[in-house]
Amino acid sequence: MKTIEKIQLDGIDVNLEISLLEYGIAWFKTANEITFIYSTGIDENCDCSNFCLSSFDLKTNVKEEFDFVDWQSFCGFAGIDESNIQKMPIEQVIPSLVMHEGTQNIFGTIYCEGLTFDELKEKYSI
């Protein structure tokens, strides 16, 4: 028997399928951490595909964690005042960081195919 994990997924778009297939990112929180579900590829229809997970402590200092980022450039790209970055929830910063720096630079190198969208839907009841 398969187990479906009941989690509260959020994403860039109110529609989770759009968040995952078009933007390639969604997330869910637990008491102490946030887990991002992110795309590692594009399929023949130009939809995001093959999803992996990466978790961060909710108290992560993003400027320390991603000390390689040119924060002035990033803030100009994202339209964020640099003095506000540490005050923002991590789920507001990471998607823009991924767009600016790339998935591999933010989430690291992956060594597996990940889950297909259909597997993701089944596992998390999307």
Side-chain angles (χ1 to χ4, degrees), residues 26-42:
W27 54 87
F28 61 92
K29 292 180 182 180
T30 62
N32 299 315
E33 72 178 9
I34 184 166
T35 299
F36 290 92
I37 301 171
Y38 63 96
S39 172
T40 61
I42 303 292

Side-chain angles (χ1 to χ4, degrees), residues 60-122:
T60 297
N61 180 319
V62 292
K63 289 184 95 172
E64 288 178 9
E65 180 75 22
F66 305 106
D67 60 354
F68 57 86
V69 172
D70 176 343
W71 289 102
Q72 186 174 11
S73 172
F74 168 75
C75 289
F77 166 81
I80 299 171
D81 185 320
E82 191 170 350
S83 65
N84 290 330
I85 288 177
Q86 291 307 112
K87 300 172 193 166
M88 296 173 66
I90 193 168
E91 65 269 22
Q92 289 182 355
V93 179
I94 295 292
S96 295
L97 272 176
V98 168
M99 286 189 280
H100 190 260
E101 299 292 328
T103 302
Q104 187 171 348
N105 289 329
I106 302 305
F107 297 124
T109 303
I110 57 161
Y111 298 98
C112 65
E113 282 188 27
L115 300 170
T116 66
F117 184 68
D118 288 338
E119 291 168 333
L120 197 64
K121 280 177 35 178
E122 186 175 328

Side-chain angles (χ1 to χ4, degrees), residues 2-80:
K2 293 185 181 182
T3 303
I4 296 175
E5 295 182 38
K6 296 290 183 185
I7 57 172
Q8 176 60 48
L9 272 173
D10 291 306
I12 292 174
D13 193 277
V14 71
N15 181 307
L16 288 174
E17 287 197 27
I18 290 174
S19 288
L20 289 164
L21 293 174
E22 293 184 19
Y23 294 99
I25 195 165
W27 54 87
F28 61 92
K29 292 180 182 180
T30 62
N32 299 315
E33 72 178 9
I34 184 166
T35 299
F36 290 92
I37 301 171
Y38 63 96
S39 172
T40 61
I42 303 292
D43 68 15
E44 64 278 352
N45 297 319
C46 295
D47 285 331
C48 295
S49 64
N50 295 62
F51 297 87
C52 291
L53 284 72
S54 183
S55 298
F56 297 93
D57 187 293
L58 285 172
K59 296 178 182 175
T60 297
N61 180 319
V62 292
K63 289 184 95 172
E64 288 178 9
E65 180 75 22
F66 305 106
D67 60 354
F68 57 86
V69 172
D70 176 343
W71 289 102
Q72 186 174 11
S73 172
F74 168 75
C75 289
F77 166 81
I80 299 171

